[in-house]
Amino acid sequence: MNFEALQKAWQSQDPGAKVTINTDMLLNEVRRNQQQFRATIFWRDVREVGVALLLALFFLYRGMRHHDWTNYLLALAGFGVGTFMLVDRLLQHRKHPVSNDPLKACIESSLLQVNHQIWLLKNVFWWYLLPFAAALGISISYSTWHARNAGFLAVIIWVISALVIVLVYWGIHWLNRFAVRKSLEPRRQELETLLANLK
Amino acid sequence: MQTHSITAQEQETIFRRWLDEHIGLILKVVRSCAAPQDQDDLFQDVLLQVWSSIPAFRGEAKETTWIYRVAFNTALAWRRGEQRRRKVHETFLKLDTSPQVQPSHADSLPEQEVVEQLYAAIRQLPKVDASLALMHLDGLSYQEMADVLGISENYIGVKLNRIRKQLADQLKGATDEL
């Protein structure tokens, strides 16, 4: 059977024949799905950006109430991280792949987005962990210095605090690396293959 | 996505008309890109994306080109299992995934089997090749395929030669038996 015969057979199909759609229910479902999707994105942003900004406000309040300048450092770190995430979200939102773009353009923008996510997660230490770590380190060291009269006990508290921070940070760092390896790298590979097929 | 103002009523009207006129096109994409057990999920996702894309539609592209783009982009981004988290509350769709050949053809049964074989063969192709094969079988011009994929017509010609041969080879055994 040559290709023309295959094409003839293909075009003879009536693919809509066995589809029964309740359009009203479908519209309700489509609207519900769209609302759900928007809500998911909105609450993800609120959660991530909001927590950082709330932390900033909390430490700002504590700093003003207790006249403790180390709290201002923590507030600054929270504010910096929150602003970074907010600006990043806004910039990335503009580059979001659009489903009615030509296939190649859609794959390219998806690839850019995945690459950006990988960059963010791989560099989470620099833009998320380090600002808080620096502020926390200074804050804890300052408190320890003030409590130096307690002697050895102050040193032990400082060491334990530092260890807890290092452990938590290592956990966050590992989780991010895992996410990159498990889902983002395969997705990048998949998109690169698709793009290679179009070049 | 650049959108122009459109009322919900207008969006709904366009969506209903597109469903009436182009449901076959969407189903072909779904059947070509997803395994039978996943076709319901992908179909719902494509419909969702088609609905969302309507405010951006200005009539500059042909409706079919637009819907092909949305459907292929959704199918390429779609990954099995991910979308299952979106539970459908009500059954709005009864979908028989087997393609139907129009009864006017006297030899419709063998043709139906050929079409089944074609879908199976297309699903074996790399995704981009599968989209090209489908559009070629649907009789789209090189220009139209280039518009959907965003690549040059020359390149499409080269690719199609290979895909035609590949499909013919894959179906050789099957069609000989029919």
Side-chain angles (χ1 to χ4, degrees), chain A residues 74-87:
Chain A
L74 285 161
L76 192 67
F79 184 72
V81 169
T83 308
F84 177 84
M85 285 199 275
L86 194 62
V87 171

Side-chain angles (χ1 to χ4, degrees), chain A residues 36-97:
Chain A
Q36 194 181 6
F37 178 71
R38 281 184 188 151
T40 306
I41 297 291
F42 176 76
W43 286 113
R44 186 201 65 186
D45 290 351
V46 166
R47 204 172 52 239
E48 292 181 354
V49 178
V51 165
L53 294 178
L54 271 179
L55 277 175
L57 285 177
F58 171 73
F59 286 116
L60 190 67
Y61 170 76
R62 265 180 65 99
M64 283 160 64
R65 190 178 164 88
H66 299 292
H67 302 289
D68 179 0
W69 62 270
T70 59
N71 278 292
Y72 292 135
L73 282 182
L74 285 161
L76 192 67
F79 184 72
V81 169
T83 308
F84 177 84
M85 285 199 275
L86 194 62
V87 171
D88 182 69
R89 287 274 191 283
L90 291 174
L91 289 177
Q92 289 306 309
H93 185 70
R94 285 188 200 162
K95 299 175 188 168
H96 201 268

Side-chain angles (χ1 to χ4, degrees), chain A residues 11-31:
Chain A
Q11 289 179 0
S12 71
Q13 64 177 311
D14 180 16
K18 279 200 177 178
V19 181
T20 320
I21 295 179
N22 182 331
T23 323
D24 291 326
M25 272 192 196
L26 168 63
L27 279 170
N28 285 339
E29 193 56 35
V30 162
R31 288 196 194 104

Side-chain angles (χ1 to χ4, degrees), chain B residues 18 22 25-26 50 63-72:
Chain B
W18 282 6
H22 305 298
L25 182 163
I26 296 172
V50 168
E63 284 178 6
T64 46
T65 304
W66 184 273
I67 296 170
Y68 267 124
R69 279 181 184 172
V70 174
F72 281 135

